[in-house]
Amino acid sequence: AVLRKPRGPFAMLVASLAGATIAAGALYLYTTRESSPAKIAESKRLFRKKAYEASLAAATEACQLAADGSQHRTALLHLAALHHAMNRFDDSLATLDKVEAVVTDDLDLVPLLHARAEVLEAADRPLELAAEQLARARDVRRRASGPESMEAAYAAFNLARVLTLQLQKAEDAAALLQQAESLVLEAHGIALAAGDATQAATFVDEILELLTADSAACATASQLRAAYLEASGEEWSPKPLDVLIVGAGASGVGMGILLTKVFRLRPQRVLLVERGGGVGESFLRWPREMRFISPSFNQQGWTKSFDLNSIAHGTSPAYTLHAQHPSGTQYADYINEIAEAAKLNVQLRTEVLSVAPIDGGGFNVRVRAAGEEVTKRSRYVVWAAGEFQYPRESPDAFAGAGLCTHNSRVRSWKEMPGDEYVLIGGYESGVDAAVNLAKAGKQATVLASTGTWDVQTTDPSTELAPYTAERLREVTATGFSPRPKLMAPLRVVSVERASEGGFNVAAEWQAAPPPPPMSRSMRKPFTSPAHSTLGREDVVLHTAQPPVLCTGFEGSVASAARHLFKFAGEAAPDEADPSSASPPAKDLLEQLARDADDVAKQSAEKHAARERATGCAAGAPLLTSEDESTKVPGVFLVGPSVRHGKLSFCFIYKFRQRFGIVANAICRGLGRDTKSAVEACRKMDMFLDDLSCCQGTCGETC
C-alpha cells in the first residue's frame, strides 16, 4: 500500500520489527511453518527477542520460500528493513535493488523508493541521493492518483523535507529553498482544497521548524508564514526546543549525540549553544604542550568498554587522530568531526545570559548572539559549559594572589619569557607545568599543600595519573637539567612585588599528613633537589616572573549558574530566607514553592540531604539521582562537575557514563518510550545507575 502520511513506509517496517506485531502474527496463523509469510513472522519474533542473526536467517529463508512475485517482494522488503534496523545500510540498499528488479507495477515502486530514501538518509549519504528517490516516487504518485490528490500532496511534502535538510551544506541553498517552498506550498494548497486545513498547516509547520536551524532561511520564508496563517488562523512561531544544551565541548557534544542518535530526538529540536567561536573551544585554549593524561586506545570490540577519551560509542580519538595522548587542538578536531557527522544543531558565538523557568514548564533562555539579545524557549536545559574557562583565581585566595597568572592563561610554556618560575599548586596542572617548563629548559619550583607525587589511592581522580608521574620521574631523575624542585607540604600566604624587581612568594610549612597505606607498592620514589623538604622556617622565594597559579578551576556551574543549582554546604531551601534573596532568586523560590511537584521535590531534598559537604562534595552542585538540579527542576548537569557523595566524575570515561541517565530522564519527561534506548546505553556502558560499583577515595587533592 502507498503510505499516506509524511513518514516513509520503510520507517513503519523498521518500527514493526521492534514493536509488537500482534496483527501480523494473527494474519499468518493459517500458514505452514515452511511458508514465506510464516518465516517473516518468525523473523520478527526473533528480532524482538534480540536474536538478530537468527532473525536475519529466517528473513533470508523467507525470500527463498516465496511462492510468487508478491510474496518475494514482501520478503525482500522485510529483509531490507531488517538490515536497516541493524545498521547494515549497504546490505539494505543491495536488497532494495533486488526488489526493484522484480517490480512490474509502478505503484509497487513507491514503497521501494521511499525505503531507499530512508536508508540513504540514515546512512548519512548525500541527501541529493535521497531526494532523487523521492522525486521518482512523487512522479509515480501524481500519475497514479492525480496532481491534485492528497497522495500528490504527501509526495510533494516528502521531497520538500529532504530538500530543506540539504540547505545547511548546499552551495545553491537559495535555489533549494525556493524549490522546497514551492513544493510545500503545493502540498498546502492541495490540502486546503481538500478541506483539510489542519494538514495544510502541518505541512508548512514541519518545514518552518526545519528552517529554524538556519535563521537566514527562516527569515526569508514569508510565504510559508503567510500560508500557515491562512490554514491555521494563527501567526506561526517556533515550538519550544526539546533540549537546549549550554556548551559544545566534550560533555555537550556527547550529550547531543546520545539524545539524537540513541534516544532519537530530532536534531532540530536539540540546540547546543557555545559562546566560543568553535566546537571544543576550551580545548583550543590549552597550552600547546598540554596533553590528555588518560590514554586513548581503540579497544572497542575486544573489551566491554571503549576508548577512555571518547564521548560517543563507536568513535575513538586514538583511531581518528592516531594519538595516544591528544593535544587540546587535536581533541577539538575530534569533537568537531563527530559533531558534524552527527549533524548536531550547534550555534556558535552565543552566550547564555539567563535561564528562567516558565509557568507551566520549560524555560526562557536569554542569549546574546551577533550583538543581539534573543530569547529561546526549551522544555529542558542541560548545563555542559565545563570548567577550563572558569579558573580558580580569586584575588582573595591569599595576599597578592592577583599578581599571579593562572596556568589556563598560558598559551605555550616554551614561549614563556624568562628561565625560572614558581608554581603554586601541585596536582595535575602544577606537575604538568613543571614538566613542560623543565623540558623547555626553564627552572620550575612547585609549592604544594600536599605532595601529590607520593599519594597513592584507588581512585584515579585523586592521585597523579601514571602518564603525569612517568613524565615527572623523567625530569626529576639524576642527570636531567634543570630538575624541578618539589616542595610540600606548604601553604602560600602571600605574593609581593620585590623592591629589586620580580616577586617574593612567602609560604608556611604545614604538618605533614600521615602517609596513605601503600601495601606492597612497587612504585619508584621521586627524587628532587628539594623533594618534600620539612624545614621549620617559613619559605620566601624570589622569582623574576609572576608566579603561576595551578590551583584548579572554579567551573562554570559555580561561576555562571549559581542561580540554577544548590551547593553542598549551603542552606537548604526551607532554611533560606526568601526575603533576603535578590529579586530573581526570590521569584524563583516562590515559583518553585507554587509549582514544584511535591513528591519529586521531597525525593530530591532527601537525596540532597544524603550528600555531605566534605571532600569532593565540598561546594559541589547538589543533584538528584538523575543529575537534575535540586533547586530548579528541568535543569540537568553533565560533565566534570558532576559529584555524587565521594564519587567524582571528572574524567571523560566517568562522566560519559551518566549521559544515558540524563537523556532517559529528559525523554521520559517528553513522553517518549525509552526502553530500547536505555538498553542500548547499557550495552555501550553509558548508563551508570548503580554507583556502588564505583570505588572512590577522596582527599585534599579534590
Side-chain angles (χ1 to χ4, degrees), residues 432-457:
D432 180 73
V435 169
N436 287 313
L437 286 169
K439 290 189 174 183
K442 303 177 189 292
Q443 178 65 61
T445 301
V446 179
L447 307 181
S449 59
T450 299
T452 55
W453 40 86
D454 287 331
V455 171
Q456 180 175 357
T457 75

Side-chain angles (χ1 to χ4, degrees), residues 380-697:
Y380 294 96
V381 171
V382 175
W383 194 269
E387 297 188 341
F388 189 80
Q389 296 185 50
Y390 303 86
R392 186 177 289 127
E393 53 182 352
S394 169
D396 302 324
F398 50 81
L403 299 173
C404 303
T405 299
H406 196 274
N407 73 295
S408 63
R409 312 291 182 192
V410 175
R411 299 280 72 87
S412 169
W413 296 108
K414 183 178 181 179
E415 295 175 5
M416 293 281 280
D419 56 8
E420 54 83 27
Y421 280 88
V422 171
L423 309 174
I424 301 173
Y427 194 41
E428 290 290 350
S429 56
V431 174
D432 180 73
V435 169
N436 287 313
L437 286 169
K439 290 189 174 183
K442 303 177 189 292
Q443 178 65 61
T445 301
V446 179
L447 307 181
S449 59
T450 299
T452 55
W453 40 86
D454 287 331
V455 171
Q456 180 175 357
T457 75
T458 56
D459 184 355
S461 300
T462 58
E463 67 168 11
L464 288 183
Y467 177 66
T468 307
E470 184 179 68
R471 292 183 300 141
L472 183 60
R473 284 194 175 89
E474 178 187 350
V475 297
T476 56
T478 302
F480 190 95
S481 179
R483 297 164 66 195
K485 298 177 181 178
L486 309 178
M487 303 180 69
L490 281 167
R491 183 175 69 89
V492 173
V493 294
S494 68
V495 173
E496 298 177 342
R497 291 189 182 276
S499 58
E500 68 274 24
F503 303 85
N504 290 329
V505 182
E508 297 176 346
W509 289 107
Q510 306 296 296
M518 297 172 64
S519 59
R520 301 183 63 183
S521 176
M522 299 178 66
R523 299 187 178 189
K524 182 180 178 181
F526 286 93
T527 59
S528 169
H531 174 64
S532 297
T533 305
L534 297 177
R536 288 291 170 259
E537 296 181 359
D538 291 345
V539 174
V540 177
L541 299 177
H542 179 79
T543 174
Q545 308 299 329
V548 179
L549 291 176
C550 302
T551 48
F553 302 90
E554 187 75 16
S556 62
V557 182
S559 298
R562 296 198 73 89
H563 61 298
L564 299 176
F565 294 89
K566 202 173 74 144
F567 294 82
E570 291 182 346
D574 58 349
E575 297 171 341
D577 178 10
S579 63
S580 65
S582 62
K586 180 178 179 181
D587 291 344
L588 181 59
L589 288 170
E590 292 173 352
Q591 176 68 37
L592 291 177
R594 287 195 306 270
D595 297 335
D597 179 85
D598 289 339
V599 175
K601 186 176 179 181
Q602 290 173 11
S603 174
E605 288 305 318
K606 287 179 181 178
H607 180 84
R610 289 196 294 269
E611 302 282 356
R612 296 292 181 264
T614 58
C616 281
L622 295 182
L623 307 171
T624 70
S625 60
E626 295 176 322
D627 292 352
E628 187 175 14
S629 167
T630 60
K631 184 175 185 178
V632 185
V635 174
F636 292 81
L637 178 64
V638 294
S641 297
V642 172
R643 302 283 190 277
H644 283 285
K646 292 185 176 182
L647 297 178
S648 167
F649 292 79
C650 56
F651 286 123
I652 289 172
Y653 73 87
K654 291 184 174 185
F655 67 66
R656 75 185 182 196
Q657 296 184 68
R658 299 291 293 179
F659 290 168
I661 303 292
V662 174
N664 181 46
I666 288 174
C667 291
R668 282 191 291 106
L670 293 171
R672 300 175 71 94
D673 182 358
T674 63
K675 191 177 295 184
S676 61
V678 168
E679 184 177 343
C681 287
R682 289 190 187 280
K683 289 180 178 179
M684 299 174 189
D685 280 338
M686 293 187 73
F687 199 89
L688 180 60
D689 56 348
D690 179 11
L691 301 183
S692 65
C693 68
C694 306
Q695 184 71 27
T697 307

